[in-house]
Amino acid sequence: MVLGAGTVVVGAAVPSLVSCGLSPDADLVYRTLVTFGAGCAVELARGLGLPRRRVLDALDELADRNAASLAPAARPETAVWRAHPPATVVPALRHSRARPQARASAAPSRPDRVLPELVSLALGEGLRHLPTRAAARTRMAELVGMTRCEHLAMNPEPAFEPQATQSAAPLDRILLSRGVRMRVLGVHPADLDPLAPHGRRPPEKMPDYRRMPAVPMKLIVVDRTVALFPVDPGDFGRGYLEVAQRPVVDALVSLFERNWDVASTPPAERGLPPLSPREWALVSLLAAGHTDESAARHLQVSSRSVTNILRALMDRLGVQNRFQLGLVLGALYAVRPPYSTAPTTTEGKETR
């Protein structure tokens, strides 16, 4: 749904939702959806001339009151909202407003009507709390539909939880197919795709990756206008904070750019060939303390094959011995030091 320039929204012939307890913004957005049909938040904001934040808050309000919802067939890149029929919405709103005590007392007995993992809490202009990782993933899918130019991410996790990676690969695919520039800064080797085990395969497009031994925070920035990061860096389960305040987002983008500039680029970008999966497996085993013989057993190859793999790798990287090979691989962050394979502790608290 796209409203033309200068379009005046008169509104559908439905009673005012304000009289039913909804905000004027929610009433306007609902009338627009009823009059012009389903649409996504960015189109609604553009057509109504409202800030996107106000439109998103209005949609949240409508969803909370069961007056609108994401269309069942909507894809993440469109995030289409559809108004529920006024014939059912208005009587339900009037009934709930007329019987607030009954509504409040009925809530605990009907927990299936409440989805706390999808509820967000507005904290003020440009601030919203997404209370769980599930809520953050849902919001991220909506933001994908609005992203037009750039997606920035910092990932401090040495390993991703399966649910996050399974949803990340298709969202990446959508953004990249649209021509969005994606830059990802993390602790994983820059020449290996961390989402390869979760559905992404060559020759698919991939984000630009760079690696650091540690990144300062978990962060996602969309089009340099909206940022998401965990409320508690040590416990992502406590939810995320969504920020659309320009000075804060600008500061977070600056933090990303400073770290991006000093991060390690993939070996291919430096004119060096990336490690093959077998080379990566071998050097990882050796870095973890395996001998040639035990590494050969893990790889199910002979000790001679281990020697040949290392010799070929040294030739490609232009070094003469294993010591030099270790220095080069370490400088490229191609392997993780053994001491970083598990979290360290300080005063009994786990650090990340």
Side-chain angles (χ1 to χ4, degrees):
M1 179 211 67
V2 180
L3 305 182
T7 299
V8 177
V9 179
V10 178
V14 297
S16 169
L17 300 189
V18 176
S19 65
C20 299
L22 272 68
S23 68
D25 283 353
D27 178 72
L28 178 60
V29 171
Y30 180 77
R31 289 173 180 276
T32 304
L33 289 172
V34 171
T35 302
F36 294 97
C40 68
V42 67
E43 292 172 343
L44 288 164
R46 186 186 306 118
L48 294 172
L50 292 175
R52 185 172 58 183
R53 171 57 47 210
R54 286 175 59 181
V55 171
L56 291 171
D57 289 342
L59 288 168
D60 279 348
E61 186 177 351
L62 291 171
D64 184 55
R65 302 299 295 274
N66 202 29
S69 62
L70 284 172
R75 296 171 297 171
E77 68 267 32
T78 56
V80 173
W81 286 85
R82 178 173 296 154
H84 295 174
T88 58
V89 169
V90 175
L93 290 175
R94 285 176 173 170
H95 180 72
S96 63
R97 186 168 177 80
R99 300 181 59 188
Q101 297 300 325
R103 182 170 178 257
S105 62
S109 63
R110 293 294 304 276
D112 56 304
R113 295 290 299 275
V114 181
L115 299 176
E117 71 276 10
L118 300 181
V119 174
S120 62
L121 175 64
L123 303 177
E125 185 65 28
L127 289 175
R128 182 157 57 160
H129 179 215
L130 305 166
T132 65
R133 279 178 286 190
R137 282 193 288 269
T138 299
R139 179 63 181 137
M140 194 62 239
E142 295 176 359
L143 290 173
V144 164
M146 305 174 191
T147 307
R148 291 295 176 266
C149 301
E150 186 179 50
H151 176 100
L152 308 176
M154 286 198 295
N155 298 318
E157 312 98 304
F160 299 113
E161 62 174 16
Q163 209 169 5
T165 50
Q166 288 167 7
S167 62
L171 294 181
D172 285 6
R173 190 176 293 115
I174 290 169
L175 291 171
L176 292 167
S177 67
R178 196 189 296 151
V180 173
R181 186 188 182 194
M182 296 188 67
R183 289 188 286 161
V184 179
L185 183 60
V187 298
H188 296 269
D191 61 335
L192 294 177
D193 181 4
L195 295 187
H198 305 279
R200 191 159 59 198
R201 293 288 183 271
E204 281 191 83
K205 292 181 179 179
M206 289 174 46
D208 296 327
Y209 281 105
R210 290 192 181 180
R211 189 211 187 197
M212 299 181 70
V215 298
M217 65 184 297
K218 177 77 171 178
L219 175 67
I220 297 169
V221 182
V222 174
D223 281 343
R224 304 196 173 211
T225 59
V226 180
L228 277 72
F229 53 87
V231 172
D232 182 349
D235 183 4
F236 295 173
R238 297 185 63 183
Y240 282 66
L241 189 66
E242 178 182 334
V243 180
Q245 296 177 350
R246 189 57 182 267
V248 179
V249 176
D250 286 348
L252 292 171
V253 170
S254 178
L255 174 68
F256 178 92
E257 295 289 4
R258 289 197 304 271
N259 284 274
W260 180 265
D261 289 342
V262 300
S264 172
T265 56
E269 292 185 18
R270 300 184 176 201
L272 296 174
L275 274 65
S276 69
R278 188 167 69 162
E279 289 169 339
W280 163 252
L282 175 58
V283 297
S284 296
L285 288 169
L286 295 177
H290 283 269
T291 64
D292 285 11
E293 290 74 17
S294 63
R297 286 195 298 272
H298 274 78
L299 297 176
Q300 296 184 338
V301 299
S302 66
S303 297
R304 181 180 293 275
S305 294
V306 167
T307 301
N308 292 338
I309 293 170
L310 291 174
R311 183 68 265 170
L313 185 56
M314 287 188 282
D315 291 342
R316 284 168 51 217
L317 297 179
V319 298
Q320 301 300 316
N321 54 53
R322 292 192 180 199
F323 178 76
Q324 294 174 350
L325 177 62
L327 290 177
V328 170
L329 294 176
L332 295 176
Y333 296 123
V335 293
R336 185 179 303 155
Y339 59 79
S340 67
T341 57
T344 58
T345 57
T346 303
E347 296 181 357
K349 294 184 178 180
E350 187 179 89
T351 58
R352 294 176 182 267

